[in-house]
Amino acid sequence: MDNFNFYSPTEFVFGKGRESECGKYVKKYGGTKVLIHYGGGSVVRSGLLDRVKASLAAENIPFVELGGVQPNPIDTKVYEGIGLCRSEGVNFILAVGGGSVIDSSKAIAVGALYDGDFWDFYDNKAAVEKALPVGTVLTIAAAGSEGSGNTVITKTDGMWKRGAGGDALRPKFSVMNPELTYTLPAYQTACGATDIMAHVLERYFTNTKEVEITDRLCEAVLCTIIKEVPRVLKNPEDYNARANIMWAGTVAHNNVCGVGREQDWNSHGLEHELSGIYDCAHGAGLAVIMPAWMEFVMPHNVMRFAQLAVRVFGTAMNFEAPEETARLGIKAFRKFLHEIGMPVNFAELGAKEEDIPRFAEKFSVTKIGNNGVTGGFVKLTKEDAVTIYKIALNASV
Ligand code: NZQ
Ligand code: ZN
């Protein structure tokens, strides 16, 4: 096991009705003028936004609001939010929504205290050191942004989807009421589940040996998703299943499943080019990319893939041919994604073969840079990226 620091300072406020307490938590973390940031309208329709406002009003905390964050959030909304924070003297941002709203809030939080262009943080020209405090009221189990220090934004000029991060961006508190996810369409539920699994798998495939505790935590999260997602697809108001998925989403990405070893993250880099260009759901893009990446890198450590197959997907171990076990595990993963309604190839996602050179070029500029390779588990070149996109192109269950 490698040395590590584990820092997850967010206060998680979990359970039924807890959104009524968000005013109290804003106050606890020093907010006296709040920007409520939200998305395309689900929180208006569900009545959640009104409940959040009532909770702030009950604590006599003034607020301004900015809605309209789109999935795969964009820079123009961030500039709008930064302007509003400055003109209104906002000192706390409350994100009410999913990963897109939370990421846009984090971008505003870091941009509002920075003299230059906020995009510098996404362009590796500036490091995140300070930001306005952010709190969240989570409405979808997916990105894990409610517990992470990361934010992903798309720059509309060129459709560059990029991440930035730093501990200053970890939310002060996150309200997590599983009931708020009852209204999620089945497709969004499945996209979220895929993202959660991907966050674990990016950490599971490592070259660091003997980190048994982290392996077992990863496997627990994956098994939970496999058990609970079909239950909520059948009954969207199954509280306990929704609750298990919601907490799995946080645990998958606050890095408790990644400490003590190197991580990979190439599937995310390869996927961000798809959702950056096509504006598809991140989870749907991952469903197409991640199993393709797995097929490509599997020979690097057959036994690790066989372990996943046996422990998570219940595949019988073939001691004479471990590669066969490994292959069956990847097959079972893709089959699960298909069964919950995810696309498994380019055609099902709406991606085009002729765009592959563009994806690979952008992946290369963003992730590979001057080194010629990127990734923790297996170092990829631009040519490898093309090969993986081509595997994804024609994949089937
Ligand atoms: O905008 P509204 O109307 O709220 O609708 C949203 C949106 O259309 C809807 N939705 C959310 N909660 C709902 C609901 N509809 C009905 N009932 C509810 N309770 O769902 C749609 C998707 O929401 P979004 O916030 O985009 O989903 P998600 O949480 O998956 O976030 C995706 C974004 O997070 C980034 C992704 O790249 C993508 O841009 N990621 C952020 C990470 C991080 N910050 O750590 C890590 C991830 O790997 C990921 O890259
Ligand atoms: Zn993700």
Side-chain angles (χ1 to χ4, degrees), residues 14-351:
F14 197 99
K16 293 182 183 177
R18 303 300 302 273
E19 63 274 16
S20 67
E21 297 172 51
C22 62
K24 191 174 90 185
Y25 285 97
V26 168
K27 194 176 228 173
K28 176 174 175 179
Y29 290 103
T32 54
K33 180 76 184 275
V34 173
L35 170 68
I36 304 177
H37 201 31
Y38 58 95
S42 72
V43 302
V44 178
R45 288 190 295 279
S46 67
L48 173 62
L49 190 62
D50 284 340
R51 297 204 294 284
V52 166
K53 287 180 188 173
S55 170
L56 292 176
E59 300 291 339
N60 297 314
I61 301 170
F63 57 83
V64 289
E65 54 185 284
L66 178 63
V69 178
Q70 63 183 62
N72 300 315
I74 54 172
D75 55 350
T76 48
K77 186 59 75 180
V78 174
Y79 291 120
E80 210 183 322
I82 291 171
L84 196 56
C85 284
R86 289 181 180 156
S87 65
E88 295 285 338
V90 164
N91 66 3
F92 196 99
I93 303 179
L94 186 56
V96 186
S100 296
V101 171
I102 300 172
D103 285 4
S104 184
S105 299
K106 290 175 176 176
I108 295 169
V110 68
L113 299 186
Y114 180 63
D115 284 338
D117 184 345
F118 93 91
W119 190 253
D120 288 352
F121 295 101
Y122 297 77
D123 226 0
N124 292 323
K125 290 187 184 145
V128 174
E129 272 153 20
K130 55 182 179 169
L132 290 176
V134 173
T136 86
V137 180
L138 186 66
T139 63
I140 172 172
S145 190
E146 70 280 4
S148 82
N150 304 100
T151 149
V152 184
I153 300 289
T154 299
K155 185 183 169 89
T156 37
D157 181 8
M159 303 310 279
W160 293 100
K161 184 170 184 175
R162 287 189 174 171
D167 284 335
L169 290 178
R170 289 184 186 270
K172 297 294 173 206
F173 71 85
S174 283
V175 170
M176 300 171 64
N177 174 359
E179 289 176 317
L180 299 178
T181 65
Y182 287 176
T183 51
L184 272 174
Y187 185 75
Q188 288 297 343
T189 300
C191 287
T194 306
D195 196 16
I196 293 168
M197 294 180 93
H199 291 164
V200 170
L201 292 168
E202 296 277 18
R203 294 170 163 100
Y204 193 77
F205 292 105
T206 177
N207 295 311
T208 313
K209 294 198 175 24
E210 293 192 59
V211 196
E212 184 72 6
I213 172 74
T214 305
D215 269 7
R216 295 291 185 176
L217 287 169
C218 287
E219 290 157 3
V221 173
L222 294 169
C223 290
T224 300
I225 294 296
I226 291 167
K227 174 169 182 280
E228 302 291 41
V229 171
R231 285 176 72 196
V232 297
L233 291 179
K234 217 175 273 169
N235 175 13
E237 302 199 3
D238 184 326
Y239 179 83
N240 288 321
R242 286 284 191 192
N244 280 311
I245 294 169
M246 197 173 222
W247 188 235
T250 303
V251 171
H253 202 40
N254 76 345
N255 214 24
V256 73
C257 288
V259 293
R261 56 200 196 179
E262 72 178 336
Q263 306 175 12
D264 189 75
W265 293 100
N266 267 332
S267 296
H268 267 68
L270 292 162
E271 190 295 313
H272 281 163
E273 303 313 336
L274 301 182
S275 50
I277 290 174
Y278 298 131
D279 202 18
C280 59
H282 169 61
L286 284 169
V288 173
I289 291 297
M290 191 140 214
W293 171 84
M294 289 164 95
E295 282 175 7
F296 182 77
V297 302
M298 187 259 279
H300 175 70
N301 188 341
V302 170
M303 290 313 286
R304 189 119 196 104
F305 277 89
Q307 177 179 302
L308 176 81
V310 171
R311 291 187 185 172
V312 173
F313 292 101
T315 310
M317 183 67 200
N318 184 337
F319 291 96
E320 322 253 274
E323 198 161 329
E324 182 59 14
T325 311
R327 220 186 332 270
L328 287 174
I330 300 170
K331 201 172 165 170
F333 177 42
R334 198 180 261 131
K335 183 163 172 282
F336 173 76
L337 296 173
H338 174 71
E339 282 169 1
I340 64 172
M342 287 291 90
V344 299
N345 56 37
F346 267 36
E348 289 179 17
L349 183 70

